[in-house]
Amino acid sequence: MLVSVGQFSPGGDVEANLAVMRSLAEKARAEGSELIVFPEESMFSIGKVDGPLAAAVDAGWSTFVQRLSLAAAQLGIAVVAGGYESSGEERPYNTLVAIEADGRIAATYRKLHLYDAFSYSESTRIKPGDRGVQVVELGDLRVGLMTCYDLRFPELARALAVQDADLIAVPAAWFKGEHKIDHWETLLKARAIENTVWVAAAGTASGHTIGHSAILDPMGVPEVFLGEESEAVATADVVRTRIEEVREYLPVLANRRFAAAEEIAP
């Protein structure tokens, strides 16, 4: 199944961001892609929103999801993208929405690990997720969902793998900084290698985020990758037989001696 990552630099206007996403989805579909993964903050970049965040979220989330669903159905392509969902409180959720190629909402995932690191405090503005891990069927693939800083927590990726995810989708807005590109690339490879799954990572490319979207195979080999392009699509053939092939000689999931956190009974 052909899968794409769509990289761009979201602004503060939901409609303008949706227009860019539609254009990138059209390019992906023209390449034969059946799924496109967009970055975290595709709905809007918090730093570019005018006025109170809660009001912007209340006004934007439904429009964002509905318009993405319509685009998915019109183009015949499944979509994973990040936005901000109201929690009923001042702090919204940082939420991924997974949409099937017929426009139906397949799942939402609320970011579990908030970016309280490198002198940044996401939790002052965002509420942590409360629904646990999410694996959803999109086309022929079982897709596990995680967001940006989640990538630094191997137990989350392992929980997705033991729930039979073929592909882990990683929408992100990975901040620039010393060693940050090295961390990003190393962690993407590690999550693929240690779980023998595909990884599709879509990053925002802006003045403060790195871009560097990529799709890696279950051996951690980048099949396609981008640099800091402000708008671009990269597409790879994500096949389950590659997972089976790798697990024949690298059966790490079968050999493990410890359960993932999501498997441990309370």
Side-chain angles (χ1 to χ4, degrees):
M1 174 175 159
L2 292 177
V3 174
S4 297
V5 286
Q7 177 172 296
F8 73 112
S9 178
D13 183 86
V14 176
E15 294 288 347
N17 294 332
L18 284 165
V20 174
M21 296 170 74
R22 169 116 192 178
S23 175
L24 294 175
E26 288 173 349
K27 292 179 182 178
R29 194 70 188 100
E31 295 177 5
S33 183
E34 297 179 58
L35 165 65
I36 184 166
V37 180
F38 286 110
E40 181 184 23
E41 288 205 310
S42 287
M43 177 175 149
F44 56 57
S45 172
I46 282 182
K48 297 180 180 179
V49 170
D50 294 326
L53 176 59
V57 170
D58 288 342
W61 174 251
S62 293
T63 297
F64 179 70
V65 173
Q66 290 169 7
R67 291 278 301 279
L68 270 186
S69 296
L70 179 61
Q74 289 176 336
L75 298 174
I77 188 170
V79 174
V80 173
Y84 292 99
E85 174 195 11
S86 176
S87 67
E89 303 175 10
E90 184 177 349
R91 294 182 302 162
Y93 295 112
N94 184 334
T95 301
L96 301 182
V97 60
I99 302 170
E100 297 181 47
D102 61 4
R104 289 183 293 177
I105 307 302
T108 56
Y109 164 71
R110 294 170 175 170
K111 186 177 182 182
L112 289 171
H113 302 98
L114 299 184
Y115 184 58
D116 290 351
F118 293 100
S119 301
Y120 190 85
S121 182
E122 186 178 15
S123 65
T124 61
R125 291 185 287 183
I126 304 300
K127 185 173 180 178
D130 55 2
R131 292 179 177 172
V133 301
Q134 288 284 346
V135 178
V136 60
E137 292 190 12
L138 296 173
D140 295 333
L141 298 173
R142 285 181 57 80
V143 180
L145 304 175
M146 66 165 59
T147 306
C148 201
Y149 191 51
D150 282 333
L151 186 63
R152 293 185 181 273
F153 299 85
E155 61 272 24
L156 176 53
R158 178 54 52 86
L160 296 171
V162 300
Q163 291 190 30
D164 297 323
D166 304 307
L167 170 76
I168 296 177
V170 190
W174 200 265
F175 280 4
K176 291 180 177 178
E178 188 175 8
H179 307 305
K180 295 297 290 296
I181 291 176
D182 287 340
H183 286 195
W184 169 252
E185 294 178 347
T186 299
L187 290 165
L188 290 177
K189 290 179 180 181
R191 299 298 87 90
I193 294 166
E194 68 196 6
N195 295 296
T196 55
V197 295
W198 290 84
V199 172
T204 63
S206 68
H208 64 278
T209 55
I210 66 170
H212 284 256
S213 303
I215 300 176
L216 299 87
D217 85 348
M219 283 293 287
V221 177
E223 293 288 318
V224 292
F225 51 89
L226 298 170
E228 296 187 13
E229 296 94 325
S230 59
E231 291 183 21
V233 167
T235 302
D237 193 7
V238 175
V239 291
R240 189 176 287 110
T241 53
R242 178 59 175 155
I243 299 173
E244 296 166 355
E245 174 187 323
V246 170
R247 289 179 182 176
E248 281 290 320
Y249 55 81
L250 184 59
V252 290
L253 294 183
N255 293 159
R256 65 198 175 95
R257 299 289 298 277
F258 293 92
E262 289 292 318
E263 296 178 285
I264 299 173

